[in-house]
Amino acid sequence: MSIHELLSAGQRDRIQGLELFARQVVEGFCSGQHRSPHKGYSVEFKEHRPYVRGDEIRSIDWKVFGKTDRIYIREFEEETNLKATLIVDSSGSMAYAGQRVATTKHHYATQLAAALAYLMVGQQDGVGVATFDTQVRDFLPARSRMSHLQAICSVLQKRSPGGETELSHVLGGLAKKLHRRGLLILISDCFADVPTLIRALTHFRRAKHEVLVFQVLDPDELDFPFSGRIRFRNLELADDHEEVDAAALAEAYRKNFREHQRQLRDGCGRCRIDHVLMTTDMPVADGLASYLATRRRLA
Amino acid sequence: MTLLNGLLALGAMAFTIPLVIHLLFRNRFQTLDWGAMRFLRNVVEQNRRRMQLLNWLLLLIRCLIPIFLAFCLARPIVTGWRQPRGDEPVALAVVLDNSYSMTARQEERRDRFAVAVETVRAIAGSLARGSEVVLLTSDGMGRVTDPAGIDSQLDQLRPGGGPFELDTLLGKAIGVLSQSAMANRQIVIVADHTASGFTQAMLDGLPAIRQRIASVTPTPEVVWVDLLGESPSPFRNLRIHSVESEANYAVPGQIVPWMIEAKVDGPAPEKVEFRMRVNGQPSERRTEIVRDGTARAMIPLTADQVGRQVVEVEVAAVSDPQRADWTDDFPPDNRFAVPLRVLEPVEVWLVDGHPTDKPLAGDTDYLTIALSPFATSSTAAGVSPADLFRPRKVRFGRLAETQAAGEWPAVVVLADVARPSAADSKWLVDFVQNQGGTLVVFGGPSIDSQWYDQNLIDDQRVPLLPLRFGEPRTSVAGLAIDETRLTYPPLSLFGTREKGTLAGTSFHGWLEMLSRGGTTDAPADLPPNAPPNAPPNAPPNASADGQAGGAENSTAAAADPAREANVVLRLEGGQPLMAIGASGLGRVLQIASTSNEIWTTLPLRPAFVPLMQRLLLHLSIDQDAGLVATAGEPLVLTGVAPDGEWSVSTPDNKSHRFKPETSLVWTDTSQAGAYRFESPSGEVIWSAVRVPDADLKPAVVDRETRELAAARLGATLHDSLDEYLAADASRRFGRGIWKYLLAALVIAMVLEPVVQQYRSRH
């Protein structure tokens, strides 16, 4: 499985032109576009400052000393690569594909994850991936090699949706694996208890991770366009169904959904987490481009 | 329940259509794999019960719509548990109240009787062909006829049939219906429920009548049509309150003043007019102003022709052109009839036991004054007093000789005559027993009791005296009259203290009066045959007239010839004071005390004059039993020979001819007023018919009492003719309920989209 199977050529071209700028400087082993809080011996000079006792002798800029007879310390700004982890929801609810869009949410999420991975690897950033339903099913730590991108795509492609969503449990388990600060990208429909989800994400924020939430929904789940007698069969739980008059319940559903979204949006806002709603009728690249453009403006 | 269009009811099976649709679509649904179940689940839990309820309600409404429609078209008829009789003929007994109270006007100024007649016509008109109807009224029973034939009977019917006696009429109805061959029988009561007819005794007797009705097979159905509408408000009624005259007897040429008082209930007219009619001919009239709801007039009438006369008094409101006409809501009490008898003075022979020229020293002097009080009086303006008696003193021992020179007297009075001569005795026996004369024997100290007993009782084949004279008795303190037993009509007046009593009269001496068998047992008292305080010429609410000569029409039984003696007055010790007996054709009044002041103070009392006048008048003239009757009761004229063909003129000026059989009786007395009877020989007799007192009270019993009466009778009470007809149609054909089903259909059709919308919104 390769990136070419997940993304079309056009999508790949558009993604290559994108740049993902991390809002925060993250730690990395390689120099790159991301500024590191660590000053060291890098290619880009930052400033001179007067010597103070305790500074390393090797940091003294002897040329300046020779010209000015003053001891200055030469400081460089070091660039490091981004280390991002894609957390992709593979629960049963992600298997839904509406009548208007044939793509399942899971497939859309996979495409989105692949696009992000491709983008980051192209930027020499490290990227890892985790899939989950009730627990973490696959986990690849972050790497920046192109060969790693193939591994990511392979993991995403082979995972099929199923099982219930247990976001809080899953995020708790991932927190133990991600020791260094980085970028955490959750791709899910977020059909979970919002306070619990927000609590789990807050835990990452406290560990200085930047968190992005891409909420992937089918348009049907937004406007509930159904009518007549419908048996709704639960995608996450076998033998669980409800036979309802859809038209009679539509308004109540929409009300509940709006309330859920409001809680999610507010919770993310409070934790300075970007919440990006993407529907499956929206091309992945367009949605991503729109988000990144917005992010660049705000950066 | 039956269906007129039964086949259409099969359309109700269409209710299965929505049911089948429901069942078919119940398992037809789209299956959708859905991830966002968390947003559905709580909504489903909240709405599941309500939606199920709404769904079932909607299903029910949709099923009911074709059912309602089908049954509405099928015309269902509810008949209860009974088989409707349909157009089968029925035997109907209509108990119709035609008493005078039915003339009271109701709110729309129609009288109750008109409404009742209209009701009976409508009821008869609703009967099936072949039905039989009989009309039962207070004054009789019509013949059994077909429904069409009842119209002619109703045309002839007028108010005035006498008091409405429900129990009596129901008894007749039961008798008629029990003889009917019809299987369906019904009694319909059409009445106004005046309070006078709803006595406690009548109410208590209704369960027994109900049992009688139930004992008839097939049992008649009893229906009570309550026709009583609202009385006009205010209820205006002008009525004669009292009519008083000097006397019910007069002599030719005497001017008799009539005191008339009329009262008005409710708003009063400004003036009223009193009209007098004598023997049906208009006489005097007066217009008087109404003050405080009362108008009074004094109208003198001159008695001219000898004979029985009827004086009618009528009062009517004088219409005022400046004001709206005043309407009397109850006319029957505007007229009142009083009998007046004009007669030649009664010839009375007074035989004095101690004749003397000294004033008031003789035994008959007080009696002379009492019988002819106006002989020496002057004539007052507008009034011409005249004596009803012509007393004449006859010497003792010359009775036969005096009579031989002229006509027979009407009354002979022996006042303390010690021992009549043999010739006088023989003449007295002939006078009483053969000539029908009246003998009055006063006691006294000179009376030879043994002679009287021997010659006038023991030696006579038919005893002349009612009692034997015994020993003279005296009382220094004097004995008073026992006023508790004044039941004899001429004496009943004196039991009323307002008019004068015999109180204060004292008797110091008297003769014992013993039964003719010689025992000292007190003879029997006269049984009361008339209420002592209710003379028949007293109008309703009127006080007693206080005049001599009243209460003359009900005394036939007083002189019962079968009885040996009737003690009509006693002393307070129980000693007989006056006794009346019949002997042959005549009558004898025997008095234990004197006619002067020797033994008693009675001649000195004012009451002595009316007492003696009433007694002698009552005994000496023929009684007029049929002179005045109440409406609905037959007029029976006594003292006339019912030979040949008589004619009668009724108050409506119609003349009828009839041939009496054993006695002169006229039964059609529904109209109040004067009736003129004329014999084949041209003799004219006037009689009057009055409205019964019970019918002069138009007030009706309350609704609860009417319902109680109907319940006790087991009758169905209907408030109107329409209600009766609807109920009768229901009994005959059942009750159509298609209107209700149509209403239910409309409601269901309106409800269905409403529920549908509600269900969609919620």
Side-chain angles (χ1 to χ4, degrees), chain B residues 349 351 394-395 397-403 412 414 424 427-428:
Chain B
W349 289 4
V351 182
V394 179
R395 302 266 317 164
R398 292 190 174 178
L399 287 172
E401 179 185 343
T402 305
Q403 184 269 325
V412 173
L414 302 181
D424 281 351
W427 183 89
L428 286 172

Side-chain angles (χ1 to χ4, degrees), chain B residues 428-699:
Chain B
L428 286 172
V429 171
D430 180 44
F431 166 70
V432 173
Q433 295 184 349
N434 300 324
Q435 303 303 323
T438 299
L439 174 63
V440 180
V441 181
F442 279 91
S446 303
I447 290 286
D448 183 347
S449 299
Q450 289 185 346
W451 186 93
Y452 273 88
D453 296 343
Q454 181 66 38
N455 288 275
L456 299 183
I457 297 176
D458 297 338
D459 291 348
Q460 299 297 324
R461 187 174 58 86
V462 177
L464 191 65
L465 295 183
L467 296 176
R468 291 179 184 276
F469 278 129
E471 295 296 321
R473 300 294 182 190
T474 58
S475 170
V476 176
L479 293 179
I481 291 175
D482 181 5
E483 294 184 87
T484 62
R485 287 185 277 191
L486 298 173
T487 57
Y488 188 50
L491 302 177
S492 61
L493 169 70
F494 301 100
T496 308
R497 293 192 174 275
E498 298 170 357
K499 297 293 182 180
T501 69
L502 299 175
T505 305
S506 177
F507 288 83
H508 300 280
W510 64 92
L511 288 175
E512 283 185 327
M513 292 204 296
L514 312 171
S515 66
R516 290 191 294 224
T519 65
T520 57
D521 294 340
D525 283 341
L526 176 71
N529 58 358
N533 296 328
N537 65 332
N541 305 322
S543 55
D545 60 9
Q547 304 307 317
E552 300 302 327
N553 62 337
S554 56
T555 58
D560 182 3
R563 296 185 63 85
E564 186 180 73
N566 292 319
V567 176
V568 296
L569 199 60
R570 291 177 183 271
L571 296 176
E572 61 182 358
Q575 297 87 343
L577 182 62
M578 289 186 188
I580 292 175
S583 180
L585 298 177
R587 281 168 282 192
V588 177
L589 171 63
Q590 190 173 355
I591 303 173
S593 193
T594 59
S595 60
N596 58 13
E597 82 289 3
I598 294 176
W599 273 2
T600 175
T601 60
L602 180 61
L604 306 178
R605 308 286 302 175
F608 184 67
V609 175
L611 174 67
M612 296 314 299
Q613 291 208 1
R614 290 176 68 93
L615 276 171
L616 295 193
L617 203 60
H618 183 77
L619 292 170
S620 61
I621 64 173
D622 295 330
Q623 304 306 313
D624 297 317
L627 195 60
V628 175
T630 55
E633 295 179 350
L635 267 170
V636 181
L637 301 181
T638 59
V640 292
D643 298 331
E645 190 176 55
W646 286 65
S647 67
V648 57
S649 296
T650 52
D652 55 359
N653 294 323
K654 290 183 179 176
S655 184
H656 310 271
R657 303 191 73 81
F658 71 108
K659 187 174 288 187
E661 296 179 352
T662 56
S663 59
L664 188 60
V665 179
W666 179 253
T667 56
D668 183 12
T669 57
S670 60
Q671 300 178 67
Y675 285 70
R676 180 182 184 274
F677 294 89
E678 186 173 349
S679 69
S681 61
E683 181 188 1
V684 174
I685 300 174
W686 284 90
S687 285
V689 170
R690 290 177 183 160
V691 178
D693 291 351
D695 286 357
L696 291 177
K697 297 168 184 169

Side-chain angles (χ1 to χ4, degrees), chain B residues 109 236 269 317-329:
Chain B
R109 302 292 173 188
R236 301 180 177 90
V318 177
S319 59
D320 185 351
Q322 304 297 326
R323 300 166 59 182
D325 283 345
W326 191 90
T327 306
D328 193 347
D329 292 322

Side-chain angles (χ1 to χ4, degrees), chain B residues 232-243:
Chain B
S233 180
F235 190 80
R236 301 180 177 90
N237 184 26
L238 173 63
R239 56 187 168 87
I240 292 180
H241 179 67
S242 65
V243 177

Side-chain angles (χ1 to χ4, degrees), chain A residues 96 99 191-193 226 229-235 240 242-245 249 252-253 256-257 260, chain B residues 25-26 28-44 47-48 51 759:
Chain A
Y96 179 73
Q99 297 169 341
F191 287 166
D193 182 54
F226 309 110
R229 292 183 59 77
I230 298 177
R231 171 182 283 177
F232 289 95
R233 197 161 54 192
N234 196 345
L235 284 168
D240 180 27
E242 295 287 352
E243 293 168 12
V244 297
D245 185 334
L249 295 180
Y253 169 89
N256 284 347
F257 181 78
H260 176 269
Chain B
F25 281 86
R26 187 181 181 185
R28 290 188 62 181
F29 45 76
Q30 179 186 356
T31 300
L32 186 67
D33 292 327
W34 183 251
M37 290 297 283
R38 62 169 40 245
F39 306 121
L40 277 181
R41 204 175 306 277
N42 62 340
V43 178
V44 170
N47 287 276
R48 189 189 303 277
M51 292 305 292
R759 175 174 164 272

